[in-house]
Amino acid sequence: MAIEIDVTYHGDPAGIVAATRNIEERRGTDGLFVPEGAHDPFVYLTLAAEHTERLRLGTSIALAFARSPMAMAYPAYDVHRLSGGRFVLGLGSQIKPHIERRYSMPWSRPADRMREYIAAVRAIWHTWQTGDALDFRGDFYTHTLMPPLFNPGPLPFPSPEIWLAGVGPRMVATAGAVADGFICHPLLSRGYLADVLQPQLEDGRASTGATGGFTLAAMAMVATGRTEEEYADAVAGTKRQIGFYASTPAYKPVLDHHGWGDLHGEAHAFTKAGRWTDLGDLVDDEVLTTLAVVGELDRVGADVRARFDGLASRVVLSIPYAADDALGLDIASS
């Protein structure tokens, strides 16, 4: 099966309607995934659902622990209904300081909490779909009340799929065990996906006897441009992004896998010194081309597909530099 290519949207919510219409009309693009950053992704996707008919729509990702399972279940269910069953709930944990200090929500045992979180969301959806009593009792979440007034009722299609993003081995295995798919972090090589992440996912699935379809969605940093100047800016921006990721301890295993563990210490020292704009200077061309797809615009889309052929069923494009909304579409159609 051919790899499907998805694009992301990071702009102002006011521009999402025009952007989605353009994406819908372009061949080569199969889905639109929206991250949770400075805006609520469900606002974007509500508008996108109303102005598209074929695109797969999803969050990449929505912050699970910033909301209770009930607070997550409602908007995901509604967007799924509005889109005619095209929505995917992509979930991620974020990190402890953001959950505790930005959202003032509890953080503990993230892999175990996420496993229960997904089970709770599905229990809520099951009640809405079937009318069965809601009786979910776990270590982290309890949901036992669903009066008819607050039950949105069944959908004419199955509830949304849940894809889980993860970095550490326990969260990756959790995705394999309880999710319908896995979203890779953008700091990714073909070797790391094949040698580390896939075995962890398979171990997770084996632990629960999971069967049936499972979607592996790779996020791929892509450096390209329409002119020599744009191309150079894209390479520089992608190197800076790799340097930023390299400075974070959670992503050091990717570097270690390729023998570049020292890069983490160097990048971390740059961030401590406030040298954020210099991080790209630490990333040589070997690191760049291993962790990002780099090439001319007329062939880079084919290079993306070739890199993940036989491993991933979808690729979500990551463009970590200033570019117009159409660049992702041009990559997907190349």
PDB file of all heavy atoms in Angstrom, residues 292-308:
ATOM      1  N   ALA A 292      16.534  14.161   8.774  1.00  0.00           N
ATOM      2  CA  ALA A 292      15.583  14.951   7.978  1.00  0.00           C
ATOM      3  C   ALA A 292      15.729  14.536   6.516  1.00  0.00           C
ATOM      4  O   ALA A 292      16.775  14.040   6.106  1.00  0.00           O
ATOM      5  CB  ALA A 292      15.846  16.444   8.138  1.00  0.00           C
ATOM      6  N   VAL A 293      14.676  14.755   5.767  1.00  0.00           N
ATOM      7  CA  VAL A 293      14.706  14.510   4.329  1.00  0.00           C
ATOM      8  C   VAL A 293      15.035  15.834   3.663  1.00  0.00           C
ATOM      9  O   VAL A 293      14.305  16.814   3.823  1.00  0.00           O
ATOM     10  CB  VAL A 293      13.368  13.950   3.819  1.00  0.00           C
ATOM     11  CG1 VAL A 293      13.451  13.668   2.322  1.00  0.00           C
ATOM     12  CG2 VAL A 293      12.995  12.681   4.580  1.00  0.00           C
ATOM     13  N   VAL A 294      16.128  15.857   2.920  1.00  0.00           N
ATOM     14  CA  VAL A 294      16.642  17.088   2.335  1.00  0.00           C
ATOM     15  C   VAL A 294      16.752  16.899   0.829  1.00  0.00           C
ATOM     16  O   VAL A 294      17.320  15.905   0.365  1.00  0.00           O
ATOM     17  CB  VAL A 294      18.022  17.454   2.913  1.00  0.00           C
ATOM     18  CG1 VAL A 294      18.503  18.793   2.360  1.00  0.00           C
ATOM     19  CG2 VAL A 294      17.979  17.484   4.442  1.00  0.00           C
ATOM     20  N   GLY A 295      16.207  17.839   0.063  1.00  0.00           N
ATOM     21  CA  GLY A 295      16.317  17.698  -1.374  1.00  0.00           C
ATOM     22  C   GLY A 295      15.579  18.774  -2.131  1.00  0.00           C
ATOM     23  O   GLY A 295      14.877  19.610  -1.552  1.00  0.00           O
ATOM     24  N   GLU A 296      15.743  18.735  -3.432  1.00  0.00           N
ATOM     25  CA  GLU A 296      15.056  19.679  -4.307  1.00  0.00           C
ATOM     26  C   GLU A 296      13.557  19.418  -4.276  1.00  0.00           C
ATOM     27  O   GLU A 296      13.100  18.285  -4.110  1.00  0.00           O
ATOM     28  CB  GLU A 296      15.591  19.564  -5.733  1.00  0.00           C
ATOM     29  CG  GLU A 296      17.085  19.843  -5.872  1.00  0.00           C
ATOM     30  CD  GLU A 296      17.451  21.282  -5.551  1.00  0.00           C
ATOM     31  OE1 GLU A 296      16.561  22.159  -5.671  1.00  0.00           O
ATOM     32  OE2 GLU A 296      18.612  21.538  -5.182  1.00  0.00           O
ATOM     33  N   LEU A 297      12.796  20.458  -4.468  1.00  0.00           N
ATOM     34  CA  LEU A 297      11.348  20.379  -4.304  1.00  0.00           C
ATOM     35  C   LEU A 297      10.702  19.388  -5.258  1.00  0.00           C
ATOM     36  O   LEU A 297       9.717  18.731  -4.903  1.00  0.00           O
ATOM     37  CB  LEU A 297      10.726  21.774  -4.486  1.00  0.00           C
ATOM     38  CG  LEU A 297       9.225  21.896  -4.266  1.00  0.00           C
ATOM     39  CD1 LEU A 297       8.817  21.374  -2.894  1.00  0.00           C
ATOM     40  CD2 LEU A 297       8.786  23.347  -4.432  1.00  0.00           C
ATOM     41  N   ASP A 298      11.252  19.226  -6.458  1.00  0.00           N
ATOM     42  CA  ASP A 298      10.594  18.360  -7.429  1.00  0.00           C
ATOM     43  C   ASP A 298      10.763  16.879  -7.154  1.00  0.00           C
ATOM     44  O   ASP A 298      10.142  16.043  -7.820  1.00  0.00           O
ATOM     45  CB  ASP A 298      11.070  18.683  -8.854  1.00  0.00           C
ATOM     46  CG  ASP A 298      12.573  18.458  -9.041  1.00  0.00           C
ATOM     47  OD1 ASP A 298      13.259  18.149  -8.048  1.00  0.00           O
ATOM     48  OD2 ASP A 298      13.054  18.596 -10.181  1.00  0.00           O
ATOM     49  N   ARG A 299      11.605  16.522  -6.164  1.00  0.00           N
ATOM     50  CA  ARG A 299      11.786  15.097  -5.877  1.00  0.00           C
ATOM     51  C   ARG A 299      11.727  14.753  -4.384  1.00  0.00           C
ATOM     52  O   ARG A 299      11.760  13.582  -4.015  1.00  0.00           O
ATOM     53  CB  ARG A 299      13.124  14.611  -6.430  1.00  0.00           C
ATOM     54  CG  ARG A 299      14.343  15.301  -5.823  1.00  0.00           C
ATOM     55  CD  ARG A 299      15.656  14.703  -6.318  1.00  0.00           C
ATOM     56  NE  ARG A 299      16.813  15.396  -5.763  1.00  0.00           N
ATOM     57  CZ  ARG A 299      17.310  15.161  -4.558  1.00  0.00           C
ATOM     58  NH1 ARG A 299      16.728  14.262  -3.763  1.00  0.00           N
ATOM     59  NH2 ARG A 299      18.364  15.825  -4.128  1.00  0.00           N
ATOM     60  N   VAL A 300      11.627  15.769  -3.537  1.00  0.00           N
ATOM     61  CA  VAL A 300      11.735  15.493  -2.101  1.00  0.00           C
ATOM     62  C   VAL A 300      10.541  14.697  -1.584  1.00  0.00           C
ATOM     63  O   VAL A 300      10.663  13.899  -0.645  1.00  0.00           O
ATOM     64  CB  VAL A 300      11.935  16.811  -1.310  1.00  0.00           C
ATOM     65  CG1 VAL A 300      10.644  17.618  -1.242  1.00  0.00           C
ATOM     66  CG2 VAL A 300      12.471  16.533   0.080  1.00  0.00           C
ATOM     67  N   GLY A 301       9.360  14.872  -2.192  1.00  0.00           N
ATOM     68  CA  GLY A 301       8.211  14.076  -1.777  1.00  0.00           C
ATOM     69  C   GLY A 301       8.446  12.593  -2.009  1.00  0.00           C
ATOM     70  O   GLY A 301       8.115  11.746  -1.168  1.00  0.00           O
ATOM     71  N   ALA A 302       9.035  12.252  -3.170  1.00  0.00           N
ATOM     72  CA  ALA A 302       9.369  10.856  -3.451  1.00  0.00           C
ATOM     73  C   ALA A 302      10.411  10.346  -2.472  1.00  0.00           C
ATOM     74  O   ALA A 302      10.381   9.177  -2.054  1.00  0.00           O
ATOM     75  CB  ALA A 302       9.876  10.728  -4.884  1.00  0.00           C
ATOM     76  N   ASP A 303      11.345  11.211  -2.058  1.00  0.00           N
ATOM     77  CA  ASP A 303      12.359  10.820  -1.087  1.00  0.00           C
ATOM     78  C   ASP A 303      11.738  10.528   0.278  1.00  0.00           C
ATOM     79  O   ASP A 303      12.172   9.615   0.988  1.00  0.00           O
ATOM     80  CB  ASP A 303      13.417  11.918  -0.946  1.00  0.00           C
ATOM     81  CG  ASP A 303      14.258  12.091  -2.198  1.00  0.00           C
ATOM     82  OD1 ASP A 303      14.263  11.167  -3.036  1.00  0.00           O
ATOM     83  OD2 ASP A 303      14.900  13.153  -2.341  1.00  0.00           O
ATOM     84  N   VAL A 304      10.728  11.309   0.646  1.00  0.00           N
ATOM     85  CA  VAL A 304      10.015  11.059   1.904  1.00  0.00           C
ATOM     86  C   VAL A 304       9.380   9.667   1.875  1.00  0.00           C
ATOM     87  O   VAL A 304       9.509   8.883   2.817  1.00  0.00           O
ATOM     88  CB  VAL A 304       8.941  12.139   2.149  1.00  0.00           C
ATOM     89  CG1 VAL A 304       8.014  11.723   3.293  1.00  0.00           C
ATOM     90  CG2 VAL A 304       9.586  13.480   2.455  1.00  0.00           C
ATOM     91  N   ARG A 305       8.689   9.370   0.796  1.00  0.00           N
ATOM     92  CA  ARG A 305       8.028   8.062   0.668  1.00  0.00           C
ATOM     93  C   ARG A 305       9.043   6.930   0.685  1.00  0.00           C
ATOM     94  O   ARG A 305       8.826   5.889   1.316  1.00  0.00           O
ATOM     95  CB  ARG A 305       7.189   8.031  -0.604  1.00  0.00           C
ATOM     96  CG  ARG A 305       5.985   8.977  -0.579  1.00  0.00           C
ATOM     97  CD  ARG A 305       5.229   8.962  -1.909  1.00  0.00           C
ATOM     98  NE  ARG A 305       4.026   9.788  -1.863  1.00  0.00           N
ATOM     99  CZ  ARG A 305       3.998  11.076  -2.155  1.00  0.00           C
ATOM    100  NH1 ARG A 305       5.119  11.701  -2.508  1.00  0.00           N
ATOM    101  NH2 ARG A 305       2.873  11.761  -2.072  1.00  0.00           N
ATOM    102  N   ALA A 306      10.168   7.120   0.006  1.00  0.00           N
ATOM    103  CA  ALA A 306      11.193   6.069  -0.042  1.00  0.00           C
ATOM    104  C   ALA A 306      11.805   5.824   1.336  1.00  0.00           C
ATOM    105  O   ALA A 306      12.087   4.686   1.699  1.00  0.00           O
ATOM    106  CB  ALA A 306      12.275   6.459  -1.049  1.00  0.00           C
ATOM    107  N   ARG A 307      11.988   6.895   2.109  1.00  0.00           N
ATOM    108  CA  ARG A 307      12.619   6.733   3.420  1.00  0.00           C
ATOM    109  C   ARG A 307      11.790   5.840   4.341  1.00  0.00           C
ATOM    110  O   ARG A 307      12.341   5.029   5.096  1.00  0.00           O
ATOM    111  CB  ARG A 307      12.846   8.090   4.084  1.00  0.00           C
ATOM    112  CG  ARG A 307      13.353   7.971   5.521  1.00  0.00           C
ATOM    113  CD  ARG A 307      13.930   9.244   6.058  1.00  0.00           C
ATOM    114  NE  ARG A 307      15.104   9.663   5.303  1.00  0.00           N
ATOM    115  CZ  ARG A 307      15.978  10.578   5.728  1.00  0.00           C
ATOM    116  NH1 ARG A 307      15.822  11.150   6.910  1.00  0.00           N
ATOM    117  NH2 ARG A 307      16.992  10.930   4.976  1.00  0.00           N
ATOM    118  N   PHE A 308      10.488   5.970   4.270  1.00  0.00           N
ATOM    119  CA  PHE A 308       9.644   5.230   5.214  1.00  0.00           C
ATOM    120  C   PHE A 308       8.892   4.071   4.572  1.00  0.00           C
ATOM    121  O   PHE A 308       8.051   3.449   5.223  1.00  0.00           O
ATOM    122  CB  PHE A 308       8.671   6.199   5.889  1.00  0.00           C
ATOM    123  CG  PHE A 308       9.373   7.230   6.734  1.00  0.00           C
ATOM    124  CD1 PHE A 308       9.510   8.543   6.283  1.00  0.00           C
ATOM    125  CD2 PHE A 308       9.929   6.884   7.946  1.00  0.00           C
ATOM    126  CE1 PHE A 308      10.174   9.483   7.044  1.00  0.00           C
ATOM    127  CE2 PHE A 308      10.601   7.814   8.721  1.00  0.00           C
ATOM    128  CZ  PHE A 308      10.728   9.126   8.269  1.00  0.00           C
TER     129      PHE A 308
END
